[in-house]
Amino acid sequence: MNKLQQFLKFLNEIGFEEIKIEGDLMVKEHHAEEKKDKTTELEILKEKVLKCEKCRLAETRNNVVFGEGNPRTNLMFIGEAPGEQEDLQGRPFVGRAGQLLTRFLNLFGIERERVYITNIVKCRPPGNRNPQPDEIKACYPYLEKQIELIEPRVILCLGAFAARTVLNLPEKTPISKIRGREFKIKNYSVIPTFHPAYLLRNRRGETDFQKDLELALRIAGML
Ligand code: URA
Ligand code: SF4
């Protein structure tokens, strides 16, 4: 390989796809293109999940709640499962707990649209019961794909349930023992914190929640 070929190979490896020589040397970036493809892939995944009937929750749901927000965000929120309002509207965290979450984000000057919000399971368990292991098993690949496509720097797990599932921790692990800690997995950090629904009942958890959110926003480079 001569020097020019080596240089072109190097450019290609760092993400340049096409080099045009038109008077001046023009180099076309392809990173933006790649991100666009991932956004499209996320849309395609969403279409598929909206029709999913892989577990029994499909029988009782009104709407699948896929998740929403900025697909290029550095910060992703993962809750447990859609509640009543979420099931009716097909959107995550729009009930009382969700409004509290939105208020906390706004406290740091962050609009909800700048992050991505989803849940471990995408359909509401009847009467808000806990999702069962086989339901999580059926649904989890969708979440994994969402993480792969969004590539967040930080995942904030809302509540013990999300934290245990994402971090693969024993069933009884108390959230108070793990909240506020940064767990490094692959190329992202996972931070467990309280579920906003818990905060509605226990106002004293708000200080810790705010601290954990601030840590997540900092690692995500959003503060
Ligand atoms: N609780 C959750 O865990 N997720 C939602 O989307 C709403 C409430
Ligand atoms: Fe499919 Fe997940 Fe809904 Fe079950 S909870 S039907 S696996 S989308």
Side-chain angles (χ1 to χ4, degrees):
M1 236 193 277
N2 65 33
K3 281 254 157 57
L4 179 61
Q5 284 169 325
Q6 276 175 7
F7 181 57
L8 293 177
K9 184 166 177 284
F10 164 73
L11 285 178
N12 186 259
E13 279 166 357
I14 61 169
F16 294 107
E17 199 177 43
E18 196 181 301
I19 296 165
K20 285 197 190 123
I21 301 170
E22 293 175 357
D24 291 319
L25 183 69
M26 273 178 33
V27 186
K28 186 176 148 203
E29 256 229 66
H30 85 152
H31 286 312
E33 201 64 32
E34 192 182 297
K35 275 281 186 185
K36 199 171 95 211
D37 285 351
K38 291 197 167 177
T39 308
T40 315
E41 261 197 77
L42 196 64
E43 280 302 313
I44 294 167
L45 179 68
K46 181 176 174 180
E47 291 309 310
K48 180 174 156 190
V49 179
L50 293 186
K51 291 184 289 211
C52 178
E53 295 186 350
K54 276 204 294 174
C55 81
R56 67 182 77 75
L57 297 180
E59 293 162 25
T60 47
R61 74 178 179 222
N62 288 299
N63 286 294
V64 175
V65 180
F66 178 71
E68 66 181 24
N70 175 6
R72 300 180 189 199
T73 189
N74 282 333
L75 178 57
M76 191 163 167
F77 290 78
I78 303 180
E80 180 172 328
E84 187 184 21
Q85 278 307 312
E86 290 75 20
D87 174 62
L88 290 172
Q89 297 182 40
R91 296 180 57 207
F93 283 96
V94 288
R96 279 183 68 218
Q99 286 160 17
L100 186 63
L101 176 64
T102 306
R103 277 211 298 280
F104 270 104
L105 277 170
N106 296 347
L107 206 65
F108 289 100
I110 309 283
E111 298 297 324
R112 188 184 144 105
E113 293 72 25
R114 286 180 60 194
V115 302
Y116 194 89
I117 308 176
T118 189
N119 286 298
I120 299 282
V121 296
K122 314 302 191 203
C123 303
R124 182 193 185 204
N128 295 350
R129 66 156 169 79
N130 286 341
Q132 292 171 10
D134 61 330
E135 295 160 356
I136 296 165
K137 194 154 173 257
C139 211
Y140 204 64
Y142 297 142
L143 181 65
E144 283 183 314
K145 193 72 193 167
Q146 283 172 305
I147 296 172
E148 185 193 317
L149 292 172
I150 294 166
E151 294 183 284
R153 252 191 253 171
V154 189
I155 294 176
L156 196 65
C157 286
L158 302 171
F161 196 88
R164 288 178 200 141
T165 309
V166 171
L167 294 168
N168 204 7
L169 298 172
E171 206 180 311
K172 296 229 159 69
T173 311
I175 187 70
S176 54
K177 284 258 153 49
I178 51 172
R179 64 139 284 277
R181 280 170 54 187
E182 181 185 357
F183 296 80
K184 293 217 164 103
I185 305 191
K186 298 181 198 161
N187 47 350
Y188 51 85
S189 293
V190 177
I191 301 170
T193 192
F194 294 129
H195 195 290
Y198 168 84
L199 301 180
L200 291 172
R201 288 174 273 120
N202 301 275
R203 297 290 305 265
R204 276 181 302 169
E206 287 189 2
T207 318
D208 282 339
F209 182 85
Q210 198 173 319
K211 259 204 272 178
D212 301 347
L213 179 59
E214 182 172 357
L215 176 66
L217 288 166
R218 281 204 192 288
I219 300 173
M222 295 175 76
L223 283 186

